[in-house]
Amino acid sequence: MHPIKTERSWRELQPGYIQKKKEQALARRVRKIAGYICLGGAALTLFWFWVHTAPRIEDPGQTAKTDKVTQELTQPRHLDKSAVKALVQNIDILNSEKDVFFADGPSWTYTIHTQLDTLLQADLNNTLNDLKTQDRGKPEFIAMVAMDGSTGFIKAMAGFSPDNPATNPCTSAALPAASLFKIVTASAAMETLNYTATTPLYFNGNKYTLYKRQLTNQRSKYTNQVTLETAFSESINPVFGKLGKLALGKEVLDEFAHKFGFNQNPDTDFDFSPPYFSADGNDYHVAELACGFNRDTLISPVFAATMVSAVVNKGQCIVPRLVDQISNANEDKIYKSAKEIYTTPISPKTAADMMKLMKKTITRGTARKSFRGYSRDKVLSDLIIGGKTGSLSNREHTVKYDWFAGFGQQKSTKETLIVAVVVGHGKYIGTRACIHAKNMLRTYFSTPKTKKDSLTATSAVPE
């Protein structure tokens, strides 16, 4: 007898069926996820290939065009004066014989055009080289500045200071003004006391001393009478000391020092430290300040030139400037300087009288020996020349500061060059500041000027 075969019930088959379904669903999910991963990997591979190979195979002309557009978008279309000053700080102007300079931008180069006189700069550099080789008479330092009297453009800037090689001696206000401050005092007397070049003044004793007994209005048979013009040109200390102490006072001196620009800085395109003046102190100190017989009033050669600019520009001090224009890498002009008036300390009448005083310094005053015979000189005879000298020793009496600040004005064209020179003489007195200034005027005006230079110089002359 055969055994009877029986079928399994659906209840017995149900657990296996469910398990098989779960395994099939899991397999489908795994295949789906694997597919997504493969697609993502392929997309990443294509993207990498495009990033690294597309620039190599695209049109080179199109790439250059794109780069040019990007550069044009990033280069500035205009520079303000603060940006110009930042660029100028990175170039070395002192003793340079170039008139065009280059400064780096983020990814391009600026071209900076100045109006430096390259022949004058070269001549000054030769002078400096000669001075450095001297045994006797070699200066401890020297600074020479030339500025166009009509436009304010710096025409030359040269010098050296072995003790401070990183400092530009032309722009550093670390030097006592000495008798150059008489320009301020004389101007204040003309403006507030109605003095003229011929106003009589009196003093007792030596011209170049300043004792308290000299600062009175007492007169005797030994009292000397001079005009303001003579007192200025011969730099007579007691006269100017009395003007400060007895006639003007500290408030007026302080007012006119401020008018000329002391304790402040004009908005220039290059840095120079502000000059310093303070009228604090007793009456005797006010007398010292008025005649420049002190070491407290400090200026730079550049500022000395701005003081003289008021005399040759009918009372207006011109802002000195170094940069004429700047262009970018595409040769687009992105900056052009303009003449600016810094301050107006004196009237045109006072400026004209001050020119008389400064001219007499050359013909009859403290600079007469240095300029002797200039009226017979082929170049200098065609100039109207004026100036002011100053001298003072340092506290240790190891250096004697020797100043000249003045101008040369061509009689026919009225082209004017302002010069400011300071020499620090050591044990031996070498070439004086007046001689350096005279040579600068001769060199500058003996060089034929181009038509462009002449137009630039004369177009800005005040009416």
Side-chain angles (χ1 to χ4, degrees), residues 31 138 165 263 318 398 414 457 459 462:
R31 287 194 297 271
K138 178 182 177 180
N263 304 322
I318 301 178
T398 56
K414 301 302 181 183
S459 63

Side-chain angles (χ1 to χ4, degrees), residues 133-323:
T133 62
Q134 294 179 1
D135 294 326
R136 292 181 54 137
K138 178 182 177 180
E140 298 295 318
F141 67 87
I142 183 172
M144 300 178 282
V145 171
M147 184 174 84
D148 189 302
S150 300
T151 64
F153 279 119
I154 297 296
K155 290 294 185 177
M157 189 181 290
F160 63 79
S161 179
D163 292 339
N164 298 287
T167 301
N168 185 338
C170 297
T171 59
S172 175
L175 304 169
S179 288
L180 293 195
F181 194 81
K182 288 185 173 77
I183 295 173
V184 177
T185 306
S187 298
M190 291 178 177
E191 288 283 311
T192 62
L193 305 175
N194 295 320
Y195 281 16
T196 66
T198 58
T199 298
L201 299 167
Y202 305 88
F203 73 97
N204 295 307
N206 190 287
K207 293 179 181 180
Y208 306 120
T209 57
L210 190 69
Y211 297 111
K212 291 183 179 180
R213 63 177 180 270
Q214 293 179 287
L215 301 176
T216 68
N217 283 327
Q218 293 181 353
R219 299 184 195 175
S220 68
K221 63 179 180 179
Y222 302 108
T223 299
N224 301 287
Q225 177 180 325
V226 293
T227 63
L228 177 60
E229 183 180 46
T230 299
F232 181 89
S233 64
E234 297 184 11
S235 206
I236 301 177
N237 284 335
V239 170
F240 280 86
K242 288 168 63 177
L243 280 176
K245 177 187 175 184
L246 305 177
L248 296 172
K250 64 174 62 178
E251 289 79 11
V252 174
L253 279 181
D254 189 71
E255 175 190 353
F256 275 83
H258 181 80
K259 284 184 175 182
F260 270 92
F262 279 87
N263 304 322
Q264 51 196 308
N265 233 349
D267 185 20
T268 61
D269 55 19
F270 66 100
D271 280 327
F272 68 93
S273 40
Y276 176 77
F277 176 84
S278 175
D280 293 337
N282 56 30
D283 289 344
Y284 180 72
H285 187 55
V286 173
E288 290 180 313
L289 293 171
C291 68
F293 197 61
N294 68 92
R295 300 181 184 90
D296 301 322
T297 304
L298 304 175
I299 64 172
S300 65
V302 170
F303 180 75
T306 67
M307 290 174 61
V308 176
S309 72
V311 176
V312 300
N313 281 281
K314 299 183 178 181
Q316 296 179 329
C317 282
I318 301 178
V319 175
R321 50 179 166 153
L322 181 65
V323 177

